[in-house]
mmCIF file of all heavy atoms in Angstrom:
data_model
loop_
_atom_site.group_PDB
_atom_site.id
_atom_site.type_symbol
_atom_site.label_atom_id
_atom_site.label_comp_id
_atom_site.label_asym_id
_atom_site.label_seq_id
_atom_site.Cartn_x
_atom_site.Cartn_y
_atom_site.Cartn_z
ATOM 1 N N GLY U 56 28.356 -11.496 2.519
ATOM 2 C CA GLY U 56 27.235 -11.521 1.590
ATOM 3 C C GLY U 56 26.275 -10.358 1.734
ATOM 4 O O GLY U 56 25.414 -10.162 0.878
ATOM 5 N N LEU U 57 26.391 -9.585 2.801
ATOM 6 C CA LEU U 57 25.506 -8.437 2.971
ATOM 7 C C LEU U 57 25.993 -7.272 2.122
ATOM 8 O O LEU U 57 27.174 -6.971 2.087
ATOM 9 C CB LEU U 57 25.483 -7.964 4.430
ATOM 10 C CG LEU U 57 24.628 -8.721 5.428
ATOM 11 C CD1 LEU U 57 24.765 -8.077 6.810
ATOM 12 C CD2 LEU U 57 23.176 -8.716 4.998
ATOM 13 N N CYS U 58 25.070 -6.651 1.445
ATOM 14 C CA CYS U 58 25.357 -5.421 0.722
ATOM 15 C C CYS U 58 24.710 -4.298 1.525
ATOM 16 O O CYS U 58 23.493 -4.285 1.702
ATOM 17 C CB CYS U 58 24.784 -5.486 -0.687
ATOM 18 S SG CYS U 58 25.117 -4.002 -1.628
ATOM 19 N N MET U 59 25.531 -3.391 2.053
ATOM 20 C CA MET U 59 25.011 -2.370 2.959
ATOM 21 C C MET U 59 25.357 -0.975 2.483
ATOM 22 O O MET U 59 26.469 -0.733 2.016
ATOM 23 C CB MET U 59 25.608 -2.551 4.354
ATOM 24 C CG MET U 59 25.211 -3.806 5.050
ATOM 25 S SD MET U 59 25.996 -3.933 6.670
ATOM 26 C CE MET U 59 27.623 -4.506 6.198
ATOM 27 N N LEU U 60 24.401 -0.092 2.620
ATOM 28 C CA LEU U 60 24.663 1.338 2.534
ATOM 29 C C LEU U 60 24.863 1.794 3.968
ATOM 30 O O LEU U 60 24.115 1.392 4.846
ATOM 31 C CB LEU U 60 23.472 2.071 1.919
ATOM 32 C CG LEU U 60 23.100 1.670 0.489
ATOM 33 C CD1 LEU U 60 21.817 2.362 0.071
ATOM 34 C CD2 LEU U 60 24.229 1.996 -0.467
ATOM 35 N N VAL U 61 25.861 2.596 4.203
ATOM 36 C CA VAL U 61 26.117 3.064 5.570
ATOM 37 C C VAL U 61 26.121 4.584 5.600
ATOM 38 O O VAL U 61 26.492 5.234 4.629
ATOM 39 C CB VAL U 61 27.436 2.505 6.148
ATOM 40 C CG1 VAL U 61 27.347 1.009 6.352
ATOM 41 C CG2 VAL U 61 28.609 2.855 5.266
ATOM 42 N N ALA U 62 25.684 5.114 6.727
ATOM 43 C CA ALA U 62 25.648 6.560 6.914
ATOM 44 C C ALA U 62 25.774 6.865 8.392
ATOM 45 O O ALA U 62 25.454 6.030 9.239
ATOM 46 C CB ALA U 62 24.347 7.139 6.365
ATOM 47 N N ASP U 63 26.235 8.072 8.675
ATOM 48 C CA ASP U 63 26.253 8.533 10.055
ATOM 49 C C ASP U 63 24.815 8.593 10.558
ATOM 50 O O ASP U 63 23.861 8.599 9.772
ATOM 51 C CB ASP U 63 26.900 9.917 10.148
ATOM 52 C CG ASP U 63 28.399 9.873 9.876
ATOM 53 O OD1 ASP U 63 29.014 8.815 10.077
ATOM 54 O OD2 ASP U 63 28.942 10.912 9.470
ATOM 55 N N ALA U 64 24.653 8.641 11.862
ATOM 56 C CA ALA U 64 23.320 8.604 12.458
ATOM 57 C C ALA U 64 22.495 9.838 12.115
ATOM 58 O O ALA U 64 21.298 9.743 11.882
ATOM 59 C CB ALA U 64 23.426 8.447 13.973
ATOM 60 N N ASP U 65 23.121 11.000 12.074
ATOM 61 C CA ASP U 65 22.406 12.238 11.781
ATOM 62 C C ASP U 65 22.594 12.620 10.323
ATOM 63 O O ASP U 65 23.617 12.327 9.724
ATOM 64 C CB ASP U 65 22.920 13.379 12.660
ATOM 65 C CG ASP U 65 22.685 13.108 14.137
ATOM 66 O OD1 ASP U 65 21.624 12.543 14.470
ATOM 67 O OD2 ASP U 65 23.566 13.443 14.942
ATOM 68 N N ALA U 66 21.590 13.302 9.784
ATOM 69 C CA ALA U 66 21.642 13.772 8.401
ATOM 70 C C ALA U 66 21.377 15.277 8.395
ATOM 71 O O ALA U 66 20.229 15.703 8.395
ATOM 72 C CB ALA U 66 20.620 13.020 7.549
ATOM 73 N N PRO U 67 22.440 16.082 8.405
ATOM 74 C CA PRO U 67 22.252 17.534 8.466
ATOM 75 C C PRO U 67 21.770 18.102 7.139
ATOM 76 O O PRO U 67 21.987 17.515 6.075
ATOM 77 C CB PRO U 67 23.657 18.048 8.771
ATOM 78 C CG PRO U 67 24.548 17.027 8.140
ATOM 79 C CD PRO U 67 23.849 15.704 8.336
ATOM 80 N N GLY U 68 21.133 19.251 7.209
ATOM 81 C CA GLY U 68 20.758 19.994 6.017
ATOM 82 C C GLY U 68 21.858 20.991 5.670
ATOM 83 O O GLY U 68 22.880 21.089 6.362
ATOM 84 N N VAL U 69 21.647 21.753 4.598
ATOM 85 C CA VAL U 69 22.662 22.708 4.156
ATOM 86 C C VAL U 69 22.947 23.752 5.231
ATOM 87 O O VAL U 69 24.101 24.100 5.483
ATOM 88 C CB VAL U 69 22.244 23.376 2.826
ATOM 89 C CG1 VAL U 69 23.156 24.531 2.470
ATOM 90 C CG2 VAL U 69 22.253 22.347 1.704
ATOM 91 N N ALA U 70 21.905 24.247 5.897
ATOM 92 C CA ALA U 70 22.117 25.246 6.954
ATOM 93 C C ALA U 70 23.004 24.676 8.057
ATOM 94 O O ALA U 70 23.924 25.351 8.548
ATOM 95 C CB ALA U 70 20.786 25.716 7.531
ATOM 96 N N GLU U 71 22.763 23.436 8.442
ATOM 97 C CA GLU U 71 23.571 22.799 9.485
ATOM 98 C C GLU U 71 25.007 22.553 8.993
ATOM 99 O O GLU U 71 25.960 22.681 9.760
ATOM 100 C CB GLU U 71 22.925 21.495 9.941
ATOM 101 C CG GLU U 71 21.616 21.678 10.681
ATOM 102 C CD GLU U 71 20.397 21.842 9.764
ATOM 103 O OE1 GLU U 71 20.514 21.572 8.547
ATOM 104 O OE2 GLU U 71 19.351 22.270 10.265
ATOM 105 N N LEU U 72 25.150 22.181 7.707
ATOM 106 C CA LEU U 72 26.491 21.984 7.154
ATOM 107 C C LEU U 72 27.286 23.292 7.172
ATOM 108 O O LEU U 72 28.459 23.310 7.558
ATOM 109 C CB LEU U 72 26.413 21.461 5.719
ATOM 110 C CG LEU U 72 26.161 19.977 5.555
ATOM 111 C CD1 LEU U 72 25.889 19.648 4.094
ATOM 112 C CD2 LEU U 72 27.333 19.172 6.065
ATOM 113 N N VAL U 73 26.638 24.378 6.750
ATOM 114 C CA VAL U 73 27.317 25.679 6.752
ATOM 115 C C VAL U 73 27.734 26.050 8.173
ATOM 116 O O VAL U 73 28.861 26.487 8.410
ATOM 117 C CB VAL U 73 26.420 26.766 6.120
ATOM 118 C CG1 VAL U 73 26.981 28.158 6.376
ATOM 119 C CG2 VAL U 73 26.267 26.524 4.623
ATOM 120 N N ALA U 74 26.823 25.863 9.127
ATOM 121 C CA ALA U 74 27.136 26.179 10.521
ATOM 122 C C ALA U 74 28.287 25.303 11.023
ATOM 123 O O ALA U 74 29.173 25.782 11.738
ATOM 124 C CB ALA U 74 25.900 26.005 11.401
ATOM 125 N N GLY U 75 28.306 24.021 10.656
ATOM 126 C CA GLY U 75 29.389 23.117 11.063
ATOM 127 C C GLY U 75 30.720 23.499 10.449
ATOM 128 O O GLY U 75 31.761 23.455 11.115
ATOM 129 N N ILE U 76 30.704 23.881 9.183
ATOM 130 C CA ILE U 76 31.939 24.334 8.527
ATOM 131 C C ILE U 76 32.462 25.585 9.230
ATOM 132 O O ILE U 76 33.643 25.680 9.562
ATOM 133 C CB ILE U 76 31.697 24.606 7.030
ATOM 134 C CG1 ILE U 76 31.436 23.301 6.274
ATOM 135 C CG2 ILE U 76 32.877 25.353 6.414
ATOM 136 C CD1 ILE U 76 30.928 23.491 4.854
ATOM 137 N N ALA U 77 31.562 26.535 9.469
ATOM 138 C CA ALA U 77 31.969 27.790 10.122
ATOM 139 C C ALA U 77 32.546 27.527 11.511
ATOM 140 O O ALA U 77 33.585 28.088 11.876
ATOM 141 C CB ALA U 77 30.775 28.740 10.201
ATOM 142 N N ARG U 78 31.887 26.647 12.285
ATOM 143 C CA ARG U 78 32.395 26.295 13.625
ATOM 144 C C ARG U 78 33.797 25.709 13.534
ATOM 145 O O ARG U 78 34.685 26.064 14.306
ATOM 146 C CB ARG U 78 31.460 25.279 14.283
ATOM 147 C CG ARG U 78 30.690 25.775 15.445
ATOM 148 C CD ARG U 78 29.942 24.699 16.200
ATOM 149 N NE ARG U 78 29.454 23.559 15.438
ATOM 150 C CZ ARG U 78 28.293 23.526 14.795
ATOM 151 N NH1 ARG U 78 27.491 24.565 14.796
ATOM 152 N NH2 ARG U 78 27.932 22.450 14.139
ATOM 153 N N SER U 79 33.998 24.819 12.572
ATOM 154 C CA SER U 79 35.300 24.170 12.415
ATOM 155 C C SER U 79 36.389 25.154 12.027
ATOM 156 O O SER U 79 37.553 24.957 12.365
ATOM 157 C CB SER U 79 35.218 23.074 11.351
ATOM 158 O OG SER U 79 34.327 22.067 11.756
ATOM 159 N N LEU U 80 36.016 26.203 11.319
ATOM 160 C CA LEU U 80 36.977 27.208 10.879
ATOM 161 C C LEU U 80 37.080 28.388 11.844
ATOM 162 O O LEU U 80 37.787 29.352 11.565
ATOM 163 C CB LEU U 80 36.587 27.726 9.487
ATOM 164 C CG LEU U 80 36.540 26.700 8.353
ATOM 165 C CD1 LEU U 80 36.058 27.347 7.076
ATOM 166 C CD2 LEU U 80 37.885 26.036 8.161
ATOM 167 N N ASN U 81 36.334 28.301 12.956
ATOM 168 C CA ASN U 81 36.271 29.404 13.922
ATOM 169 C C ASN U 81 35.827 30.706 13.265
ATOM 170 O O ASN U 81 36.373 31.783 13.526
ATOM 171 C CB ASN U 81 37.614 29.597 14.645
ATOM 172 C CG ASN U 81 37.928 28.420 15.541
ATOM 173 O OD1 ASN U 81 37.067 27.898 16.228
ATOM 174 N ND2 ASN U 81 39.175 27.982 15.502
ATOM 175 N N LEU U 82 34.838 30.581 12.388
ATOM 176 C CA LEU U 82 34.254 31.729 11.703
ATOM 177 C C LEU U 82 32.775 31.805 12.047
ATOM 178 O O LEU U 82 32.159 30.792 12.368
ATOM 179 C CB LEU U 82 34.408 31.588 10.177
ATOM 180 C CG LEU U 82 35.827 31.585 9.631
ATOM 181 C CD1 LEU U 82 35.819 31.219 8.153
ATOM 182 C CD2 LEU U 82 36.484 32.936 9.843
ATOM 183 N N PRO U 83 32.192 32.986 11.933
ATOM 184 C CA PRO U 83 30.740 33.059 12.150
ATOM 185 C C PRO U 83 29.996 32.451 10.967
ATOM 186 O O PRO U 83 30.447 32.552 9.824
ATOM 187 C CB PRO U 83 30.471 34.569 12.248
ATOM 188 C CG PRO U 83 31.610 35.216 11.541
ATOM 189 C CD PRO U 83 32.798 34.296 11.699
ATOM 190 N N ALA U 84 28.886 31.802 11.255
ATOM 191 C CA ALA U 84 28.019 31.279 10.192
ATOM 192 C C ALA U 84 27.055 32.395 9.818
ATOM 193 O O ALA U 84 26.125 32.694 10.553
ATOM 194 C CB ALA U 84 27.259 30.045 10.676
ATOM 195 N N ARG U 85 27.302 33.033 8.720
ATOM 196 C CA ARG U 85 26.472 34.164 8.302
ATOM 197 C C ARG U 85 25.307 33.648 7.463
ATOM 198 O O ARG U 85 25.302 33.784 6.243
ATOM 199 C CB ARG U 85 27.305 35.165 7.517
ATOM 200 C CG ARG U 85 28.479 35.722 8.289
ATOM 201 C CD ARG U 85 29.198 36.787 7.483
ATOM 202 N NE ARG U 85 30.528 37.106 7.911
ATOM 203 C CZ ARG U 85 30.871 37.747 9.015
ATOM 204 N NH1 ARG U 85 29.964 38.103 9.858
ATOM 205 N NH2 ARG U 85 32.127 38.007 9.283
#
Side-chain angles (χ1 to χ4, degrees):
L57 280 180
C58 180
M59 294 179 280
L60 299 174
V61 293
D63 290 335
D65 298 322
V69 170
E71 292 83 13
L72 279 171
V73 168
I76 291 169
R78 249 189 328 274
S79 297
L80 299 176
N81 293 318
L82 296 171
R85 301 184 198 290

